[in-house]
PDB file of all heavy atoms in Angstrom:
ATOM      1  N   SER A   1       1.946 -11.280  -1.706  1.00  0.00           N
ATOM      2  CA  SER A   1       1.787 -10.438  -2.897  1.00  0.00           C
ATOM      3  C   SER A   1       1.552  -8.909  -2.490  1.00  0.00           C
ATOM      4  O   SER A   1       2.131  -7.945  -3.066  1.00  0.00           O
ATOM      5  CB  SER A   1       0.653 -10.895  -3.775  1.00  0.00           C
ATOM      6  OG  SER A   1       0.430 -10.073  -4.859  1.00  0.00           O
ATOM      7  N   ALA A   2       0.568  -8.660  -1.621  1.00  0.00           N
ATOM      8  CA  ALA A   2       0.282  -7.286  -1.200  1.00  0.00           C
ATOM      9  C   ALA A   2       1.392  -6.663  -0.591  1.00  0.00           C
ATOM     10  O   ALA A   2       1.662  -5.447  -0.761  1.00  0.00           O
ATOM     11  CB  ALA A   2      -0.954  -7.330  -0.259  1.00  0.00           C
ATOM     12  N   ARG A   3       2.194  -7.391   0.308  1.00  0.00           N
ATOM     13  CA  ARG A   3       3.410  -6.819   0.908  1.00  0.00           C
ATOM     14  C   ARG A   3       4.408  -6.427  -0.160  1.00  0.00           C
ATOM     15  O   ARG A   3       4.982  -5.337  -0.089  1.00  0.00           O
ATOM     16  CB  ARG A   3       3.979  -7.792   1.887  1.00  0.00           C
ATOM     17  CG  ARG A   3       5.276  -7.210   2.465  1.00  0.00           C
ATOM     18  CD  ARG A   3       5.885  -8.011   3.502  1.00  0.00           C
ATOM     19  NE  ARG A   3       6.281  -9.329   3.227  1.00  0.00           N
ATOM     20  CZ  ARG A   3       6.932 -10.159   4.056  1.00  0.00           C
ATOM     21  NH1 ARG A   3       7.203  -9.741   5.280  1.00  0.00           N
ATOM     22  NH2 ARG A   3       7.247 -11.390   3.773  1.00  0.00           N
ATOM     23  N   HIS A   4       4.646  -7.338  -1.121  1.00  0.00           N
ATOM     24  CA  HIS A   4       5.629  -7.022  -2.183  1.00  0.00           C
ATOM     25  C   HIS A   4       5.226  -5.783  -2.925  1.00  0.00           C
ATOM     26  O   HIS A   4       6.107  -4.928  -3.196  1.00  0.00           O
ATOM     27  CB  HIS A   4       5.746  -8.250  -3.049  1.00  0.00           C
ATOM     28  CG  HIS A   4       6.704  -8.006  -4.103  1.00  0.00           C
ATOM     29  ND1 HIS A   4       8.135  -8.047  -3.957  1.00  0.00           N
ATOM     30  CD2 HIS A   4       6.661  -7.834  -5.428  1.00  0.00           C
ATOM     31  CE1 HIS A   4       8.797  -7.792  -4.960  1.00  0.00           C
ATOM     32  NE2 HIS A   4       7.923  -7.716  -6.036  1.00  0.00           N
ATOM     33  N   GLU A   5       3.906  -5.596  -3.350  1.00  0.00           N
ATOM     34  CA  GLU A   5       3.456  -4.509  -4.101  1.00  0.00           C
ATOM     35  C   GLU A   5       3.622  -3.222  -3.177  1.00  0.00           C
ATOM     36  O   GLU A   5       4.020  -2.170  -3.763  1.00  0.00           O
ATOM     37  CB  GLU A   5       2.048  -4.652  -4.418  1.00  0.00           C
ATOM     38  CG  GLU A   5       1.853  -5.654  -5.558  1.00  0.00           C
ATOM     39  CD  GLU A   5       0.402  -5.914  -5.984  1.00  0.00           C
ATOM     40  OE1 GLU A   5      -0.441  -4.915  -5.679  1.00  0.00           O
ATOM     41  OE2 GLU A   5      -0.029  -6.884  -6.562  1.00  0.00           O
ATOM     42  N   LEU A   6       3.303  -3.305  -1.861  1.00  0.00           N
ATOM     43  CA  LEU A   6       3.429  -2.175  -1.056  1.00  0.00           C
ATOM     44  C   LEU A   6       4.920  -1.671  -0.880  1.00  0.00           C
ATOM     45  O   LEU A   6       5.209  -0.530  -1.002  1.00  0.00           O
ATOM     46  CB  LEU A   6       2.815  -2.447   0.272  1.00  0.00           C
ATOM     47  CG  LEU A   6       2.900  -1.316   1.313  1.00  0.00           C
ATOM     48  CD1 LEU A   6       2.107  -0.046   0.855  1.00  0.00           C
ATOM     49  CD2 LEU A   6       2.196  -1.803   2.665  1.00  0.00           C
ATOM     50  N   ASN A   7       5.819  -2.684  -0.665  1.00  0.00           N
ATOM     51  CA  ASN A   7       7.179  -2.418  -0.505  1.00  0.00           C
ATOM     52  C   ASN A   7       7.743  -1.718  -1.786  1.00  0.00           C
ATOM     53  O   ASN A   7       8.667  -0.834  -1.654  1.00  0.00           O
ATOM     54  CB  ASN A   7       7.969  -3.649  -0.077  1.00  0.00           C
ATOM     55  CG  ASN A   7       7.753  -4.004   1.347  1.00  0.00           C
ATOM     56  OD1 ASN A   7       7.348  -3.230   2.127  1.00  0.00           O
ATOM     57  ND2 ASN A   7       8.167  -5.215   1.574  1.00  0.00           N
ATOM     58  N   ALA A   8       7.249  -2.031  -2.890  1.00  0.00           N
ATOM     59  CA  ALA A   8       7.800  -1.520  -4.215  1.00  0.00           C
ATOM     60  C   ALA A   8       7.491   0.025  -4.260  1.00  0.00           C
ATOM     61  O   ALA A   8       8.284   0.709  -5.038  1.00  0.00           O
ATOM     62  CB  ALA A   8       7.084  -2.232  -5.316  1.00  0.00           C
ATOM     63  N   VAL A   9       6.503   0.536  -3.597  1.00  0.00           N
ATOM     64  CA  VAL A   9       6.209   1.979  -3.692  1.00  0.00           C
ATOM     65  C   VAL A   9       6.316   2.609  -2.288  1.00  0.00           C
ATOM     66  O   VAL A   9       5.844   3.769  -2.117  1.00  0.00           O
ATOM     67  CB  VAL A   9       4.835   2.210  -4.262  1.00  0.00           C
ATOM     68  CG1 VAL A   9       4.827   1.847  -5.812  1.00  0.00           C
ATOM     69  CG2 VAL A   9       3.765   1.593  -3.541  1.00  0.00           C
ATOM     70  N   SER A  10       6.985   2.048  -1.287  1.00  0.00           N
ATOM     71  CA  SER A  10       6.961   2.583   0.017  1.00  0.00           C
ATOM     72  C   SER A  10       7.700   3.892   0.165  1.00  0.00           C
ATOM     73  O   SER A  10       7.323   4.790   0.943  1.00  0.00           O
ATOM     74  CB  SER A  10       7.684   1.595   1.052  1.00  0.00           C
ATOM     75  OG  SER A  10       8.988   1.373   0.659  1.00  0.00           O
ATOM     76  N   HIS A  11       8.568   4.133  -0.812  1.00  0.00           N
ATOM     77  CA  HIS A  11       9.308   5.510  -0.727  1.00  0.00           C
ATOM     78  C   HIS A  11       8.358   6.648  -1.192  1.00  0.00           C
ATOM     79  O   HIS A  11       8.590   7.830  -0.813  1.00  0.00           O
ATOM     80  CB  HIS A  11      10.479   5.445  -1.816  1.00  0.00           C
ATOM     81  CG  HIS A  11       9.904   5.227  -3.242  1.00  0.00           C
ATOM     82  ND1 HIS A  11       9.652   3.910  -3.741  1.00  0.00           N
ATOM     83  CD2 HIS A  11       9.728   6.105  -4.227  1.00  0.00           C
ATOM     84  CE1 HIS A  11       9.178   4.123  -4.942  1.00  0.00           C
ATOM     85  NE2 HIS A  11       9.173   5.367  -5.285  1.00  0.00           N
ATOM     86  N   ALA A  12       7.258   6.341  -1.733  1.00  0.00           N
ATOM     87  CA  ALA A  12       6.291   7.489  -2.226  1.00  0.00           C
ATOM     88  C   ALA A  12       5.290   7.850  -1.160  1.00  0.00           C
ATOM     89  O   ALA A  12       4.538   8.783  -1.366  1.00  0.00           O
ATOM     90  CB  ALA A  12       5.556   6.924  -3.600  1.00  0.00           C
ATOM     91  N   ARG A  13       5.376   7.200  -0.080  1.00  0.00           N
ATOM     92  CA  ARG A  13       4.353   7.438   0.971  1.00  0.00           C
ATOM     93  C   ARG A  13       4.274   8.911   1.382  1.00  0.00           C
ATOM     94  O   ARG A  13       3.276   9.366   1.659  1.00  0.00           O
ATOM     95  CB  ARG A  13       4.649   6.587   2.190  1.00  0.00           C
ATOM     96  CG  ARG A  13       3.718   6.592   3.333  1.00  0.00           C
ATOM     97  CD  ARG A  13       4.087   5.691   4.488  1.00  0.00           C
ATOM     98  NE  ARG A  13       5.451   5.855   4.885  1.00  0.00           N
ATOM     99  CZ  ARG A  13       5.819   6.696   5.776  1.00  0.00           C
ATOM    100  NH1 ARG A  13       5.026   7.537   6.330  1.00  0.00           N
ATOM    101  NH2 ARG A  13       7.127   6.743   6.173  1.00  0.00           N
ATOM    102  N   ILE A  14       5.356   9.615   1.469  1.00  0.00           N
ATOM    103  CA  ILE A  14       5.354  10.944   1.879  1.00  0.00           C
ATOM    104  C   ILE A  14       5.796  11.920   0.763  1.00  0.00           C
ATOM    105  O   ILE A  14       6.243  12.985   0.893  1.00  0.00           O
ATOM    106  CB  ILE A  14       6.289  11.150   3.132  1.00  0.00           C
ATOM    107  CG1 ILE A  14       7.734  10.768   2.845  1.00  0.00           C
ATOM    108  CG2 ILE A  14       5.748  10.413   4.307  1.00  0.00           C
ATOM    109  CD1 ILE A  14       8.652  11.157   3.832  1.00  0.00           C
ATOM    110  N   LEU A  15       5.475  11.458  -0.448  1.00  0.00           N
ATOM    111  CA  LEU A  15       5.955  12.267  -1.668  1.00  0.00           C
ATOM    112  C   LEU A  15       4.657  12.553  -2.542  1.00  0.00           C
ATOM    113  O   LEU A  15       4.450  11.991  -3.587  1.00  0.00           O
ATOM    114  CB  LEU A  15       6.956  11.524  -2.506  1.00  0.00           C
ATOM    115  CG  LEU A  15       8.310  11.261  -1.754  1.00  0.00           C
ATOM    116  CD1 LEU A  15       9.225  10.367  -2.642  1.00  0.00           C
ATOM    117  CD2 LEU A  15       8.994  12.560  -1.362  1.00  0.00           C
ATOM    118  N   PRO A  16       3.771  13.412  -2.050  1.00  0.00           N
ATOM    119  CA  PRO A  16       2.575  13.662  -2.725  1.00  0.00           C
ATOM    120  C   PRO A  16       2.713  14.291  -4.192  1.00  0.00           C
ATOM    121  O   PRO A  16       1.815  14.081  -4.986  1.00  0.00           O
ATOM    122  CB  PRO A  16       1.781  14.684  -1.941  1.00  0.00           C
ATOM    123  CG  PRO A  16       2.761  15.310  -1.019  1.00  0.00           C
ATOM    124  CD  PRO A  16       3.910  14.210  -0.855  1.00  0.00           C
ATOM    125  N   GLU A  17       3.864  14.684  -4.479  1.00  0.00           N
ATOM    126  CA  GLU A  17       4.084  15.286  -5.893  1.00  0.00           C
ATOM    127  C   GLU A  17       4.363  14.207  -6.887  1.00  0.00           C
ATOM    128  O   GLU A  17       4.450  14.475  -8.100  1.00  0.00           O
ATOM    129  CB  GLU A  17       5.282  16.269  -5.807  1.00  0.00           C
ATOM    130  CG  GLU A  17       6.579  15.757  -5.527  1.00  0.00           C
ATOM    131  CD  GLU A  17       6.881  15.554  -3.958  1.00  0.00           C
ATOM    132  OE1 GLU A  17       6.017  15.848  -3.138  1.00  0.00           O
ATOM    133  OE2 GLU A  17       7.957  15.083  -3.666  1.00  0.00           O
ATOM    134  N   THR A  18       4.498  12.907  -6.399  1.00  0.00           N
ATOM    135  CA  THR A  18       4.819  11.884  -7.337  1.00  0.00           C
ATOM    136  C   THR A  18       3.560  11.175  -7.744  1.00  0.00           C
ATOM    137  O   THR A  18       2.574  11.106  -7.076  1.00  0.00           O
ATOM    138  CB  THR A  18       5.804  10.905  -6.740  1.00  0.00           C
ATOM    139  OG1 THR A  18       5.203  10.125  -5.663  1.00  0.00           O
ATOM    140  CG2 THR A  18       7.041  11.464  -6.173  1.00  0.00           C
ATOM    141  N   GLY A  19       3.655  10.471  -8.970  1.00  0.00           N
ATOM    142  CA  GLY A  19       2.525   9.654  -9.377  1.00  0.00           C
ATOM    143  C   GLY A  19       2.320   8.408  -8.549  1.00  0.00           C
ATOM    144  O   GLY A  19       1.311   7.942  -8.481  1.00  0.00           O
ATOM    145  N   GLU A  20       3.389   7.982  -7.905  1.00  0.00           N
ATOM    146  CA  GLU A  20       3.299   6.772  -7.073  1.00  0.00           C
ATOM    147  C   GLU A  20       2.607   6.929  -5.733  1.00  0.00           C
ATOM    148  O   GLU A  20       2.284   6.094  -5.092  1.00  0.00           O
ATOM    149  CB  GLU A  20       4.731   6.171  -6.875  1.00  0.00           C
ATOM    150  CG  GLU A  20       5.468   5.604  -8.107  1.00  0.00           C
ATOM    151  CD  GLU A  20       6.770   5.068  -7.818  1.00  0.00           C
ATOM    152  OE1 GLU A  20       7.471   5.806  -7.110  1.00  0.00           O
ATOM    153  OE2 GLU A  20       6.959   4.038  -8.371  1.00  0.00           O
ATOM    154  N   TYR A  21       2.432   8.276  -5.343  1.00  0.00           N
ATOM    155  CA  TYR A  21       1.777   8.533  -4.053  1.00  0.00           C
ATOM    156  C   TYR A  21       0.400   7.845  -3.944  1.00  0.00           C
ATOM    157  O   TYR A  21       0.097   7.273  -3.030  1.00  0.00           O
ATOM    158  CB  TYR A  21       1.650  10.012  -3.911  1.00  0.00           C
ATOM    159  CG  TYR A  21       1.100  10.589  -2.713  1.00  0.00           C
ATOM    160  CD1 TYR A  21       1.778  10.510  -1.480  1.00  0.00           C
ATOM    161  CD2 TYR A  21      -0.223  11.055  -2.576  1.00  0.00           C
ATOM    162  CE1 TYR A  21       1.226  10.982  -0.313  1.00  0.00           C
ATOM    163  CE2 TYR A  21      -0.715  11.619  -1.416  1.00  0.00           C
ATOM    164  CZ  TYR A  21      -0.031  11.542  -0.352  1.00  0.00           C
ATOM    165  OH  TYR A  21      -0.642  11.936   0.790  1.00  0.00           O
ATOM    166  N   LYS A  22      -0.419   8.062  -4.952  1.00  0.00           N
ATOM    167  CA  LYS A  22      -1.740   7.457  -4.966  1.00  0.00           C
ATOM    168  C   LYS A  22      -1.579   5.898  -5.044  1.00  0.00           C
ATOM    169  O   LYS A  22      -2.389   5.197  -4.317  1.00  0.00           O
ATOM    170  CB  LYS A  22      -2.499   7.868  -6.261  1.00  0.00           C
ATOM    171  CG  LYS A  22      -3.990   7.351  -6.218  1.00  0.00           C
ATOM    172  CD  LYS A  22      -4.761   7.850  -7.373  1.00  0.00           C
ATOM    173  CE  LYS A  22      -6.202   7.232  -7.382  1.00  0.00           C
ATOM    174  NZ  LYS A  22      -6.996   7.735  -8.578  1.00  0.00           N
ATOM    175  N   ASP A  23      -0.621   5.399  -5.745  1.00  0.00           N
ATOM    176  CA  ASP A  23      -0.438   3.944  -5.757  1.00  0.00           C
ATOM    177  C   ASP A  23      -0.101   3.453  -4.326  1.00  0.00           C
ATOM    178  O   ASP A  23      -0.545   2.452  -3.926  1.00  0.00           O
ATOM    179  CB  ASP A  23       0.726   3.569  -6.622  1.00  0.00           C
ATOM    180  CG  ASP A  23       0.327   3.571  -8.141  1.00  0.00           C
ATOM    181  OD1 ASP A  23      -0.885   3.693  -8.429  1.00  0.00           O
ATOM    182  OD2 ASP A  23       1.297   3.594  -9.039  1.00  0.00           O
ATOM    183  N   TYR A  24       0.717   4.165  -3.615  1.00  0.00           N
ATOM    184  CA  TYR A  24       1.034   3.744  -2.236  1.00  0.00           C
ATOM    185  C   TYR A  24      -0.155   3.591  -1.387  1.00  0.00           C
ATOM    186  O   TYR A  24      -0.328   2.565  -0.781  1.00  0.00           O
ATOM    187  CB  TYR A  24       1.974   4.814  -1.518  1.00  0.00           C
ATOM    188  CG  TYR A  24       2.182   4.440  -0.085  1.00  0.00           C
ATOM    189  CD1 TYR A  24       3.179   3.505   0.209  1.00  0.00           C
ATOM    190  CD2 TYR A  24       1.397   4.894   0.930  1.00  0.00           C
ATOM    191  CE1 TYR A  24       3.281   2.960   1.500  1.00  0.00           C
ATOM    192  CE2 TYR A  24       1.458   4.377   2.194  1.00  0.00           C
ATOM    193  CZ  TYR A  24       2.532   3.550   2.569  1.00  0.00           C
ATOM    194  OH  TYR A  24       2.635   3.124   3.762  1.00  0.00           O
ATOM    195  N   TYR A  25      -1.093   4.578  -1.458  1.00  0.00           N
ATOM    196  CA  TYR A  25      -2.348   4.403  -0.555  1.00  0.00           C
ATOM    197  C   TYR A  25      -3.201   3.269  -1.032  1.00  0.00           C
ATOM    198  O   TYR A  25      -3.829   2.595  -0.226  1.00  0.00           O
ATOM    199  CB  TYR A  25      -3.057   5.707  -0.444  1.00  0.00           C
ATOM    200  CG  TYR A  25      -2.274   6.680   0.483  1.00  0.00           C
ATOM    201  CD1 TYR A  25      -1.303   7.604  -0.038  1.00  0.00           C
ATOM    202  CD2 TYR A  25      -2.372   6.472   1.821  1.00  0.00           C
ATOM    203  CE1 TYR A  25      -0.625   8.289   0.829  1.00  0.00           C
ATOM    204  CE2 TYR A  25      -1.633   7.274   2.731  1.00  0.00           C
ATOM    205  CZ  TYR A  25      -0.730   8.154   2.211  1.00  0.00           C
ATOM    206  OH  TYR A  25      -0.022   8.841   3.082  1.00  0.00           O
ATOM    207  N   LEU A  26      -3.305   3.030  -2.352  1.00  0.00           N
ATOM    208  CA  LEU A  26      -4.126   1.894  -2.803  1.00  0.00           C
ATOM    209  C   LEU A  26      -3.466   0.579  -2.368  1.00  0.00           C
ATOM    210  O   LEU A  26      -4.161  -0.365  -1.938  1.00  0.00           O
ATOM    211  CB  LEU A  26      -4.207   1.970  -4.321  1.00  0.00           C
ATOM    212  CG  LEU A  26      -5.028   3.161  -4.857  1.00  0.00           C
ATOM    213  CD1 LEU A  26      -4.932   3.217  -6.414  1.00  0.00           C
ATOM    214  CD2 LEU A  26      -6.535   3.052  -4.375  1.00  0.00           C
ATOM    215  N   ARG A  27      -2.153   0.511  -2.489  1.00  0.00           N
ATOM    216  CA  ARG A  27      -1.404  -0.679  -2.152  1.00  0.00           C
ATOM    217  C   ARG A  27      -1.371  -0.903  -0.607  1.00  0.00           C
ATOM    218  O   ARG A  27      -1.394  -1.981  -0.126  1.00  0.00           O
ATOM    219  CB  ARG A  27      -0.056  -0.710  -2.722  1.00  0.00           C
ATOM    220  CG  ARG A  27      -0.024  -0.899  -4.164  1.00  0.00           C
ATOM    221  CD  ARG A  27       1.277  -0.843  -4.844  1.00  0.00           C
ATOM    222  NE  ARG A  27       1.232  -0.748  -6.265  1.00  0.00           N
ATOM    223  CZ  ARG A  27       2.306  -0.897  -6.951  1.00  0.00           C
ATOM    224  NH1 ARG A  27       3.548  -1.116  -6.498  1.00  0.00           N
ATOM    225  NH2 ARG A  27       2.157  -0.828  -8.261  1.00  0.00           N
ATOM    226  N   HIS A  28      -1.419   0.231   0.146  1.00  0.00           N
ATOM    227  CA  HIS A  28      -1.456   0.149   1.582  1.00  0.00           C
ATOM    228  C   HIS A  28      -2.803  -0.483   2.091  1.00  0.00           C
ATOM    229  O   HIS A  28      -2.848  -1.335   2.929  1.00  0.00           O
ATOM    230  CB  HIS A  28      -1.322   1.531   2.181  1.00  0.00           C
ATOM    231  CG  HIS A  28      -1.266   1.592   3.687  1.00  0.00           C
ATOM    232  ND1 HIS A  28      -2.373   2.064   4.367  1.00  0.00           N
ATOM    233  CD2 HIS A  28      -0.391   1.270   4.576  1.00  0.00           C
ATOM    234  CE1 HIS A  28      -2.079   2.010   5.645  1.00  0.00           C
ATOM    235  NE2 HIS A  28      -0.893   1.447   5.803  1.00  0.00           N
ATOM    236  N   GLN A  29      -3.905  -0.006   1.470  1.00  0.00           N
ATOM    237  CA  GLN A  29      -5.189  -0.630   1.813  1.00  0.00           C
ATOM    238  C   GLN A  29      -5.228  -2.080   1.319  1.00  0.00           C
ATOM    239  O   GLN A  29      -5.728  -2.872   2.131  1.00  0.00           O
ATOM    240  CB  GLN A  29      -6.331   0.200   1.091  1.00  0.00           C
ATOM    241  CG  GLN A  29      -7.679  -0.354   1.431  1.00  0.00           C
ATOM    242  CD  GLN A  29      -8.862   0.536   0.908  1.00  0.00           C
ATOM    243  OE1 GLN A  29      -8.512   1.652   0.302  1.00  0.00           O
ATOM    244  NE2 GLN A  29     -10.046   0.072   1.078  1.00  0.00           N
ATOM    245  N   LYS A  30      -4.615  -2.392   0.149  1.00  0.00           N
ATOM    246  CA  LYS A  30      -4.672  -3.832  -0.349  1.00  0.00           C
ATOM    247  C   LYS A  30      -3.931  -4.675   0.691  1.00  0.00           C
ATOM    248  O   LYS A  30      -4.408  -5.804   0.974  1.00  0.00           O
ATOM    249  CB  LYS A  30      -4.082  -3.887  -1.677  1.00  0.00           C
ATOM    250  CG  LYS A  30      -4.151  -5.220  -2.263  1.00  0.00           C
ATOM    251  CD  LYS A  30      -3.569  -5.249  -3.697  1.00  0.00           C
ATOM    252  CE  LYS A  30      -3.473  -6.673  -4.231  1.00  0.00           C
ATOM    253  NZ  LYS A  30      -2.920  -6.636  -5.638  1.00  0.00           N
ATOM    254  N   PHE A  31      -2.810  -4.230   1.237  1.00  0.00           N
ATOM    255  CA  PHE A  31      -2.036  -4.914   2.152  1.00  0.00           C
ATOM    256  C   PHE A  31      -2.841  -5.164   3.483  1.00  0.00           C
ATOM    257  O   PHE A  31      -2.994  -6.382   3.874  1.00  0.00           O
ATOM    258  CB  PHE A  31      -0.734  -4.225   2.589  1.00  0.00           C
ATOM    259  CG  PHE A  31       0.042  -4.807   3.644  1.00  0.00           C
ATOM    260  CD1 PHE A  31       0.687  -5.975   3.458  1.00  0.00           C
ATOM    261  CD2 PHE A  31       0.081  -4.230   4.900  1.00  0.00           C
ATOM    262  CE1 PHE A  31       1.435  -6.571   4.454  1.00  0.00           C
ATOM    263  CE2 PHE A  31       0.727  -4.751   5.978  1.00  0.00           C
ATOM    264  CZ  PHE A  31       1.412  -5.926   5.802  1.00  0.00           C
ATOM    265  N   HIS A  32      -3.452  -4.147   4.083  1.00  0.00           N
ATOM    266  CA  HIS A  32      -4.215  -4.322   5.255  1.00  0.00           C
ATOM    267  C   HIS A  32      -5.488  -5.189   5.026  1.00  0.00           C
ATOM    268  O   HIS A  32      -5.847  -5.996   5.918  1.00  0.00           O
ATOM    269  CB  HIS A  32      -4.573  -2.991   5.888  1.00  0.00           C
ATOM    270  CG  HIS A  32      -3.492  -2.338   6.672  1.00  0.00           C
ATOM    271  ND1 HIS A  32      -3.131  -2.709   7.950  1.00  0.00           N
ATOM    272  CD2 HIS A  32      -2.511  -1.508   6.272  1.00  0.00           C
ATOM    273  CE1 HIS A  32      -2.067  -2.033   8.395  1.00  0.00           C
ATOM    274  NE2 HIS A  32      -1.686  -1.290   7.385  1.00  0.00           N
ATOM    275  N   ASP A  33      -6.008  -5.054   3.833  1.00  0.00           N
ATOM    276  CA  ASP A  33      -7.174  -5.886   3.526  1.00  0.00           C
ATOM    277  C   ASP A  33      -6.788  -7.365   3.387  1.00  0.00           C
ATOM    278  O   ASP A  33      -7.424  -8.280   3.831  1.00  0.00           O
ATOM    279  CB  ASP A  33      -7.836  -5.524   2.283  1.00  0.00           C
ATOM    280  CG  ASP A  33      -8.651  -4.120   2.322  1.00  0.00           C
ATOM    281  OD1 ASP A  33      -8.851  -3.641   3.434  1.00  0.00           O
ATOM    282  OD2 ASP A  33      -8.933  -3.527   1.229  1.00  0.00           O
ATOM    283  N   ALA A  34      -5.692  -7.596   2.749  1.00  0.00           N
ATOM    284  CA  ALA A  34      -5.106  -8.980   2.610  1.00  0.00           C
ATOM    285  C   ALA A  34      -4.902  -9.649   3.952  1.00  0.00           C
ATOM    286  O   ALA A  34      -5.200 -10.860   4.132  1.00  0.00           O
ATOM    287  CB  ALA A  34      -3.913  -8.960   1.808  1.00  0.00           C
ATOM    288  N   LEU A  35      -4.336  -8.931   4.943  1.00  0.00           N
ATOM    289  CA  LEU A  35      -4.092  -9.444   6.205  1.00  0.00           C
ATOM    290  C   LEU A  35      -5.284 -10.055   6.918  1.00  0.00           C
ATOM    291  O   LEU A  35      -5.229 -11.061   7.539  1.00  0.00           O
ATOM    292  CB  LEU A  35      -3.468  -8.392   7.203  1.00  0.00           C
ATOM    293  CG  LEU A  35      -2.019  -8.049   6.916  1.00  0.00           C
ATOM    294  CD1 LEU A  35      -1.760  -6.757   7.646  1.00  0.00           C
ATOM    295  CD2 LEU A  35      -1.104  -9.120   7.303  1.00  0.00           C
ATOM    296  N   VAL A  36      -6.465  -9.408   6.679  1.00  0.00           N
ATOM    297  CA  VAL A  36      -7.589  -9.757   7.378  1.00  0.00           C
ATOM    298  C   VAL A  36      -8.627 -10.547   6.445  1.00  0.00           C
ATOM    299  O   VAL A  36      -9.685 -11.043   6.889  1.00  0.00           O
ATOM    300  CB  VAL A  36      -8.361  -8.642   8.000  1.00  0.00           C
ATOM    301  CG1 VAL A  36      -7.499  -7.869   9.032  1.00  0.00           C
ATOM    302  CG2 VAL A  36      -8.872  -7.635   6.888  1.00  0.00           C
ATOM    303  N   SER A  37      -8.208 -10.831   5.175  1.00  0.00           N
ATOM    304  CA  SER A  37      -9.076 -11.478   4.202  1.00  0.00           C
ATOM    305  C   SER A  37      -9.603 -12.867   4.546  1.00  0.00           C
ATOM    306  O   SER A  37     -10.594 -13.272   3.999  1.00  0.00           O
ATOM    307  CB  SER A  37      -8.424 -11.402   2.837  1.00  0.00           C
ATOM    308  OG  SER A  37      -7.243 -12.291   2.800  1.00  0.00           O
ATOM    309  N   ALA A  38      -8.896 -13.587   5.454  1.00  0.00           N
ATOM    310  CA  ALA A  38      -9.362 -14.875   5.776  1.00  0.00           C
ATOM    311  C   ALA A  38     -10.252 -14.967   6.978  1.00  0.00           C
ATOM    312  O   ALA A  38     -10.656 -15.950   7.505  1.00  0.00           O
ATOM    313  CB  ALA A  38      -8.137 -15.792   6.023  1.00  0.00           C
ATOM    314  N   CYS A  39     -10.513 -13.791   7.500  1.00  0.00           N
ATOM    315  CA  CYS A  39     -11.528 -13.729   8.670  1.00  0.00           C
ATOM    316  C   CYS A  39     -12.907 -14.145   8.096  1.00  0.00           C
ATOM    317  O   CYS A  39     -13.423 -13.585   7.216  1.00  0.00           O
ATOM    318  CB  CYS A  39     -11.589 -12.290   9.183  1.00  0.00           C
ATOM    319  SG  CYS A  39     -12.833 -12.016  10.477  1.00  0.00           S
ATOM    320  N   PRO A  40     -13.513 -15.111   8.765  1.00  0.00           N
ATOM    321  CA  PRO A  40     -14.703 -15.660   8.283  1.00  0.00           C
ATOM    322  C   PRO A  40     -16.025 -14.797   8.614  1.00  0.00           C
ATOM    323  O   PRO A  40     -17.071 -15.111   8.189  1.00  0.00           O
ATOM    324  CB  PRO A  40     -14.843 -17.009   8.946  1.00  0.00           C
ATOM    325  CG  PRO A  40     -14.114 -16.862  10.233  1.00  0.00           C
ATOM    326  CD  PRO A  40     -12.985 -15.855   9.887  1.00  0.00           C
ATOM    327  N   ASN A  41     -15.854 -13.807   9.426  1.00  0.00           N
ATOM    328  CA  ASN A  41     -16.969 -13.040   9.895  1.00  0.00           C
ATOM    329  C   ASN A  41     -17.122 -11.840   9.020  1.00  0.00           C
ATOM    330  O   ASN A  41     -16.459 -10.799   9.197  1.00  0.00           O
ATOM    331  CB  ASN A  41     -16.854 -12.675  11.345  1.00  0.00           C
ATOM    332  CG  ASN A  41     -18.058 -12.065  11.985  1.00  0.00           C
ATOM    333  OD1 ASN A  41     -18.770 -11.226  11.354  1.00  0.00           O
ATOM    334  ND2 ASN A  41     -18.398 -12.535  13.229  1.00  0.00           N
TER     335      ASN A  41
END
């Protein structure tokens, strides 16, 4: 899910003038957080 959401706004990563720019960074963090979310420590 996090990967799909990130891919949907990947084009906005280097476009700070767009509204999706902020979404990219939120979804980027969500993606990286999801990857490690099953770490028990």
